[in-house]
Amino acid sequence: MQSNKLSRFIVYAVLIYFAVYYLLPLYVMLTTSVKTMDEIRGGNLLSFPMHITFAAWSKAWGSACTGVECTGLAPFFWNSVRMVIPAVAISTTLGAINGYILSKWKFPGSELVFALLMYGLYIPFQVLLLPMATTEGWLGIASSTTGLVFVHVVCGIASTTLFFRNFYVGIPDELINAARLDGAGFWRIFWRIVLPMSIPILMVTLIWQFTQIWNDFLFGLVFSAGGSQPITVGLNNLANTSTTVKEYNVDMAAAIIAALPTIFVYVAAGKYFVRGLAAGAVKG
């Protein structure tokens, strides 16, 4: 009995240690963001702020724009919101339909199509920059939010298709065949039977796509300009702004603001992410 208690104590002690160690950078960011620069210069990195101020947060969020240059993250934040919502919705919808077709409505060459989509997962994004820029130029959507949505949808189809296809493989074919015998067509089966069963994998895909798109810097830097730049580009611009004094509290506040949406998504839907993976997201 004593041995079991000791083992449990050791396990919890180790877990708490690693949790504190993992969260230490977040603590430093939070405390630094609410300190004054005088306190940052004269204090200890791990010390708790003596006088809490949110002036750095206000400056990091500021929304003043002059021409094509903006100070603060607010304009970039809303650019990312306008980009991420349609990009996630479209790529997830297309992935669900593709996965449904490739798992339950196979056609001659469907395995080749799936293999080519999977091959797309292994192509470095840097290789896509030139052809994607050329395509956007032809479509007339270069350096715009629409262009960013287009890029993320195209690059997200392969991964979303993989998630949904592997999940749908686990749905009994008898269920689909019975619906066909009852006269249900392609779309009715999808909307009335398959999609309602897809909540776990749908949450996995939404979280995955949201995180990937919101945190993307490469595409945001290359395919946007001026008023269409996302928050990752805005954060980089803010951190690299040439000033006489480096404002670490503003940089830390800006970094937290940029991370808040993804943190919120994981906190709100994290349990569905784990449940979706366990339900078959990585099977197949």
Side-chain angles (χ1 to χ4, degrees), residues 116-137:
L116 291 174
L117 281 172
M118 294 306 98
Y119 175 74
L121 290 173
Y122 299 97
I123 299 177
F125 286 157
Q126 291 82 353
V127 177
L128 304 176
L129 296 181
L130 181 58
M132 196 70 76
T134 303
T135 303
E136 288 198 355

PDB file of all heavy atoms in Angstrom, residues 116-137:
ATOM      1  N   LEU A 116      -2.251  10.433 -55.556  1.00  0.00           N
ATOM      2  CA  LEU A 116      -1.730  11.730 -55.981  1.00  0.00           C
ATOM      3  C   LEU A 116      -1.997  12.804 -54.925  1.00  0.00           C
ATOM      4  O   LEU A 116      -1.156  13.680 -54.687  1.00  0.00           O
ATOM      5  CB  LEU A 116      -2.366  12.136 -57.319  1.00  0.00           C
ATOM      6  CG  LEU A 116      -1.945  11.298 -58.533  1.00  0.00           C
ATOM      7  CD1 LEU A 116      -2.750  11.708 -59.762  1.00  0.00           C
ATOM      8  CD2 LEU A 116      -0.449  11.456 -58.801  1.00  0.00           C
ATOM      9  N   LEU A 117      -3.175  12.744 -54.294  1.00  0.00           N
ATOM     10  CA  LEU A 117      -3.461  13.693 -53.218  1.00  0.00           C
ATOM     11  C   LEU A 117      -2.492  13.507 -52.059  1.00  0.00           C
ATOM     12  O   LEU A 117      -2.001  14.482 -51.484  1.00  0.00           O
ATOM     13  CB  LEU A 117      -4.901  13.516 -52.729  1.00  0.00           C
ATOM     14  CG  LEU A 117      -6.003  14.133 -53.579  1.00  0.00           C
ATOM     15  CD1 LEU A 117      -7.371  13.701 -53.060  1.00  0.00           C
ATOM     16  CD2 LEU A 117      -5.900  15.654 -53.571  1.00  0.00           C
ATOM     17  N   MET A 118      -2.213  12.255 -51.729  1.00  0.00           N
ATOM     18  CA  MET A 118      -1.273  11.995 -50.650  1.00  0.00           C
ATOM     19  C   MET A 118       0.140  12.419 -51.017  1.00  0.00           C
ATOM     20  O   MET A 118       0.912  12.873 -50.162  1.00  0.00           O
ATOM     21  CB  MET A 118      -1.286  10.493 -50.289  1.00  0.00           C
ATOM     22  CG  MET A 118      -2.601  10.017 -49.693  1.00  0.00           C
ATOM     23  SD  MET A 118      -3.128  10.999 -48.266  1.00  0.00           S
ATOM     24  CE  MET A 118      -4.310  12.124 -49.036  1.00  0.00           C
ATOM     25  N   TYR A 119       0.468  12.294 -52.302  1.00  0.00           N
ATOM     26  CA  TYR A 119       1.781  12.765 -52.749  1.00  0.00           C
ATOM     27  C   TYR A 119       1.918  14.263 -52.507  1.00  0.00           C
ATOM     28  O   TYR A 119       3.011  14.750 -52.197  1.00  0.00           O
ATOM     29  CB  TYR A 119       1.951  12.450 -54.235  1.00  0.00           C
ATOM     30  CG  TYR A 119       3.228  12.996 -54.839  1.00  0.00           C
ATOM     31  CD1 TYR A 119       4.454  12.402 -54.558  1.00  0.00           C
ATOM     32  CD2 TYR A 119       3.196  14.105 -55.676  1.00  0.00           C
ATOM     33  CE1 TYR A 119       5.624  12.906 -55.097  1.00  0.00           C
ATOM     34  CE2 TYR A 119       4.361  14.613 -56.223  1.00  0.00           C
ATOM     35  CZ  TYR A 119       5.568  14.014 -55.936  1.00  0.00           C
ATOM     36  OH  TYR A 119       6.727  14.520 -56.465  1.00  0.00           O
ATOM     37  N   GLY A 120       0.808  14.977 -52.638  1.00  0.00           N
ATOM     38  CA  GLY A 120       0.833  16.414 -52.407  1.00  0.00           C
ATOM     39  C   GLY A 120       1.224  16.785 -50.991  1.00  0.00           C
ATOM     40  O   GLY A 120       1.719  17.897 -50.749  1.00  0.00           O
ATOM     41  N   LEU A 121       1.018  15.874 -50.024  1.00  0.00           N
ATOM     42  CA  LEU A 121       1.397  16.156 -48.643  1.00  0.00           C
ATOM     43  C   LEU A 121       2.906  16.249 -48.455  1.00  0.00           C
ATOM     44  O   LEU A 121       3.379  16.847 -47.492  1.00  0.00           O
ATOM     45  CB  LEU A 121       0.846  15.065 -47.717  1.00  0.00           C
ATOM     46  CG  LEU A 121      -0.674  15.027 -47.507  1.00  0.00           C
ATOM     47  CD1 LEU A 121      -1.062  13.800 -46.705  1.00  0.00           C
ATOM     48  CD2 LEU A 121      -1.141  16.292 -46.799  1.00  0.00           C
ATOM     49  N   TYR A 122       3.647  15.642 -49.379  1.00  0.00           N
ATOM     50  CA  TYR A 122       5.097  15.575 -49.226  1.00  0.00           C
ATOM     51  C   TYR A 122       5.827  16.625 -50.065  1.00  0.00           C
ATOM     52  O   TYR A 122       7.053  16.646 -50.096  1.00  0.00           O
ATOM     53  CB  TYR A 122       5.596  14.175 -49.605  1.00  0.00           C
ATOM     54  CG  TYR A 122       5.015  13.096 -48.720  1.00  0.00           C
ATOM     55  CD1 TYR A 122       3.899  12.361 -49.118  1.00  0.00           C
ATOM     56  CD2 TYR A 122       5.577  12.829 -47.473  1.00  0.00           C
ATOM     57  CE1 TYR A 122       3.356  11.393 -48.296  1.00  0.00           C
ATOM     58  CE2 TYR A 122       5.033  11.847 -46.647  1.00  0.00           C
ATOM     59  CZ  TYR A 122       3.931  11.139 -47.068  1.00  0.00           C
ATOM     60  OH  TYR A 122       3.396  10.181 -46.251  1.00  0.00           O
ATOM     61  N   ILE A 123       5.086  17.473 -50.752  1.00  0.00           N
ATOM     62  CA  ILE A 123       5.707  18.532 -51.540  1.00  0.00           C
ATOM     63  C   ILE A 123       5.965  19.726 -50.626  1.00  0.00           C
ATOM     64  O   ILE A 123       5.036  20.267 -50.014  1.00  0.00           O
ATOM     65  CB  ILE A 123       4.800  18.957 -52.712  1.00  0.00           C
ATOM     66  CG1 ILE A 123       4.546  17.765 -53.646  1.00  0.00           C
ATOM     67  CG2 ILE A 123       5.419  20.117 -53.478  1.00  0.00           C
ATOM     68  CD1 ILE A 123       3.605  18.093 -54.793  1.00  0.00           C
ATOM     69  N   PRO A 124       7.208  20.162 -50.500  1.00  0.00           N
ATOM     70  CA  PRO A 124       7.491  21.337 -49.649  1.00  0.00           C
ATOM     71  C   PRO A 124       6.741  22.564 -50.155  1.00  0.00           C
ATOM     72  O   PRO A 124       6.637  22.790 -51.362  1.00  0.00           O
ATOM     73  CB  PRO A 124       9.016  21.506 -49.790  1.00  0.00           C
ATOM     74  CG  PRO A 124       9.519  20.183 -50.262  1.00  0.00           C
ATOM     75  CD  PRO A 124       8.428  19.593 -51.091  1.00  0.00           C
ATOM     76  N   PHE A 125       6.240  23.361 -49.228  1.00  0.00           N
ATOM     77  CA  PHE A 125       5.488  24.543 -49.609  1.00  0.00           C
ATOM     78  C   PHE A 125       6.326  25.528 -50.426  1.00  0.00           C
ATOM     79  O   PHE A 125       5.806  26.254 -51.267  1.00  0.00           O
ATOM     80  CB  PHE A 125       4.938  25.240 -48.363  1.00  0.00           C
ATOM     81  CG  PHE A 125       3.780  24.526 -47.731  1.00  0.00           C
ATOM     82  CD1 PHE A 125       3.473  24.730 -46.393  1.00  0.00           C
ATOM     83  CD2 PHE A 125       2.997  23.655 -48.466  1.00  0.00           C
ATOM     84  CE1 PHE A 125       2.397  24.075 -45.805  1.00  0.00           C
ATOM     85  CE2 PHE A 125       1.920  22.991 -47.891  1.00  0.00           C
ATOM     86  CZ  PHE A 125       1.622  23.211 -46.559  1.00  0.00           C
ATOM     87  N   GLN A 126       7.628  25.529 -50.188  1.00  0.00           N
ATOM     88  CA  GLN A 126       8.492  26.458 -50.919  1.00  0.00           C
ATOM     89  C   GLN A 126       8.460  26.178 -52.427  1.00  0.00           C
ATOM     90  O   GLN A 126       8.614  27.101 -53.232  1.00  0.00           O
ATOM     91  CB  GLN A 126       9.935  26.367 -50.406  1.00  0.00           C
ATOM     92  CG  GLN A 126      10.139  26.906 -49.011  1.00  0.00           C
ATOM     93  CD  GLN A 126       9.772  25.901 -47.922  1.00  0.00           C
ATOM     94  OE1 GLN A 126       9.233  24.838 -48.205  1.00  0.00           O
ATOM     95  NE2 GLN A 126      10.070  26.237 -46.674  1.00  0.00           N
ATOM     96  N   VAL A 127       8.261  24.912 -52.786  1.00  0.00           N
ATOM     97  CA  VAL A 127       8.207  24.545 -54.197  1.00  0.00           C
ATOM     98  C   VAL A 127       6.958  25.115 -54.866  1.00  0.00           C
ATOM     99  O   VAL A 127       6.935  25.361 -56.073  1.00  0.00           O
ATOM    100  CB  VAL A 127       8.250  23.009 -54.344  1.00  0.00           C
ATOM    101  CG1 VAL A 127       8.132  22.589 -55.803  1.00  0.00           C
ATOM    102  CG2 VAL A 127       9.533  22.459 -53.738  1.00  0.00           C
ATOM    103  N   LEU A 128       5.906  25.349 -54.086  1.00  0.00           N
ATOM    104  CA  LEU A 128       4.632  25.808 -54.624  1.00  0.00           C
ATOM    105  C   LEU A 128       4.556  27.318 -54.832  1.00  0.00           C
ATOM    106  O   LEU A 128       3.601  27.797 -55.455  1.00  0.00           O
ATOM    107  CB  LEU A 128       3.490  25.385 -53.692  1.00  0.00           C
ATOM    108  CG  LEU A 128       3.364  23.897 -53.369  1.00  0.00           C
ATOM    109  CD1 LEU A 128       2.238  23.680 -52.363  1.00  0.00           C
ATOM    110  CD2 LEU A 128       3.104  23.078 -54.621  1.00  0.00           C
ATOM    111  N   LEU A 129       5.522  28.047 -54.305  1.00  0.00           N
ATOM    112  CA  LEU A 129       5.404  29.501 -54.302  1.00  0.00           C
ATOM    113  C   LEU A 129       5.298  30.086 -55.708  1.00  0.00           C
ATOM    114  O   LEU A 129       4.402  30.898 -55.992  1.00  0.00           O
ATOM    115  CB  LEU A 129       6.593  30.124 -53.558  1.00  0.00           C
ATOM    116  CG  LEU A 129       6.710  29.785 -52.068  1.00  0.00           C
ATOM    117  CD1 LEU A 129       7.915  30.491 -51.461  1.00  0.00           C
ATOM    118  CD2 LEU A 129       5.437  30.173 -51.324  1.00  0.00           C
ATOM    119  N   LEU A 130       6.187  29.690 -56.598  1.00  0.00           N
ATOM    120  CA  LEU A 130       6.189  30.275 -57.946  1.00  0.00           C
ATOM    121  C   LEU A 130       4.951  29.878 -58.749  1.00  0.00           C
ATOM    122  O   LEU A 130       4.265  30.762 -59.289  1.00  0.00           O
ATOM    123  CB  LEU A 130       7.476  29.890 -58.684  1.00  0.00           C
ATOM    124  CG  LEU A 130       7.616  30.472 -60.100  1.00  0.00           C
ATOM    125  CD1 LEU A 130       7.551  31.984 -60.071  1.00  0.00           C
ATOM    126  CD2 LEU A 130       8.941  30.009 -60.731  1.00  0.00           C
ATOM    127  N   PRO A 131       4.619  28.571 -58.846  1.00  0.00           N
ATOM    128  CA  PRO A 131       3.401  28.232 -59.605  1.00  0.00           C
ATOM    129  C   PRO A 131       2.129  28.808 -58.991  1.00  0.00           C
ATOM    130  O   PRO A 131       1.209  29.199 -59.707  1.00  0.00           O
ATOM    131  CB  PRO A 131       3.378  26.697 -59.595  1.00  0.00           C
ATOM    132  CG  PRO A 131       4.283  26.289 -58.499  1.00  0.00           C
ATOM    133  CD  PRO A 131       5.329  27.359 -58.409  1.00  0.00           C
ATOM    134  N   MET A 132       2.075  28.893 -57.666  1.00  0.00           N
ATOM    135  CA  MET A 132       0.893  29.452 -57.023  1.00  0.00           C
ATOM    136  C   MET A 132       0.788  30.953 -57.297  1.00  0.00           C
ATOM    137  O   MET A 132      -0.306  31.479 -57.544  1.00  0.00           O
ATOM    138  CB  MET A 132       0.952  29.205 -55.518  1.00  0.00           C
ATOM    139  CG  MET A 132      -0.377  29.393 -54.809  1.00  0.00           C
ATOM    140  SD  MET A 132      -1.572  28.099 -55.222  1.00  0.00           S
ATOM    141  CE  MET A 132      -0.940  26.738 -54.241  1.00  0.00           C
ATOM    142  N   ALA A 133       1.928  31.651 -57.279  1.00  0.00           N
ATOM    143  CA  ALA A 133       1.921  33.080 -57.584  1.00  0.00           C
ATOM    144  C   ALA A 133       1.486  33.317 -59.022  1.00  0.00           C
ATOM    145  O   ALA A 133       0.728  34.258 -59.312  1.00  0.00           O
ATOM    146  CB  ALA A 133       3.309  33.671 -57.340  1.00  0.00           C
ATOM    147  N   THR A 134       1.945  32.472 -59.944  1.00  0.00           N
ATOM    148  CA  THR A 134       1.547  32.600 -61.347  1.00  0.00           C
ATOM    149  C   THR A 134       0.051  32.372 -61.506  1.00  0.00           C
ATOM    150  O   THR A 134      -0.633  33.114 -62.226  1.00  0.00           O
ATOM    151  CB  THR A 134       2.325  31.591 -62.202  1.00  0.00           C
ATOM    152  OG1 THR A 134       3.728  31.794 -62.036  1.00  0.00           O
ATOM    153  CG2 THR A 134       1.965  31.755 -63.681  1.00  0.00           C
ATOM    154  N   THR A 135      -0.471  31.353 -60.830  1.00  0.00           N
ATOM    155  CA  THR A 135      -1.901  31.047 -60.903  1.00  0.00           C
ATOM    156  C   THR A 135      -2.734  32.195 -60.348  1.00  0.00           C
ATOM    157  O   THR A 135      -3.757  32.573 -60.931  1.00  0.00           O
ATOM    158  CB  THR A 135      -2.210  29.757 -60.127  1.00  0.00           C
ATOM    159  OG1 THR A 135      -1.428  28.685 -60.655  1.00  0.00           O
ATOM    160  CG2 THR A 135      -3.684  29.404 -60.237  1.00  0.00           C
ATOM    161  N   GLU A 136      -2.315  32.748 -59.232  1.00  0.00           N
ATOM    162  CA  GLU A 136      -3.051  33.872 -58.652  1.00  0.00           C
ATOM    163  C   GLU A 136      -3.026  35.082 -59.582  1.00  0.00           C
ATOM    164  O   GLU A 136      -4.002  35.840 -59.660  1.00  0.00           O
ATOM    165  CB  GLU A 136      -2.469  34.239 -57.284  1.00  0.00           C
ATOM    166  CG  GLU A 136      -2.789  33.233 -56.200  1.00  0.00           C
ATOM    167  CD  GLU A 136      -2.595  33.818 -54.810  1.00  0.00           C
ATOM    168  OE1 GLU A 136      -2.126  34.968 -54.704  1.00  0.00           O
ATOM    169  OE2 GLU A 136      -2.926  33.127 -53.831  1.00  0.00           O
ATOM    170  N   GLY A 137      -1.912  35.270 -60.270  1.00  0.00           N
ATOM    171  CA  GLY A 137      -1.848  36.360 -61.231  1.00  0.00           C
ATOM    172  C   GLY A 137      -2.838  36.169 -62.365  1.00  0.00           C
ATOM    173  O   GLY A 137      -3.517  37.115 -62.794  1.00  0.00           O
TER     174      GLY A 137
END
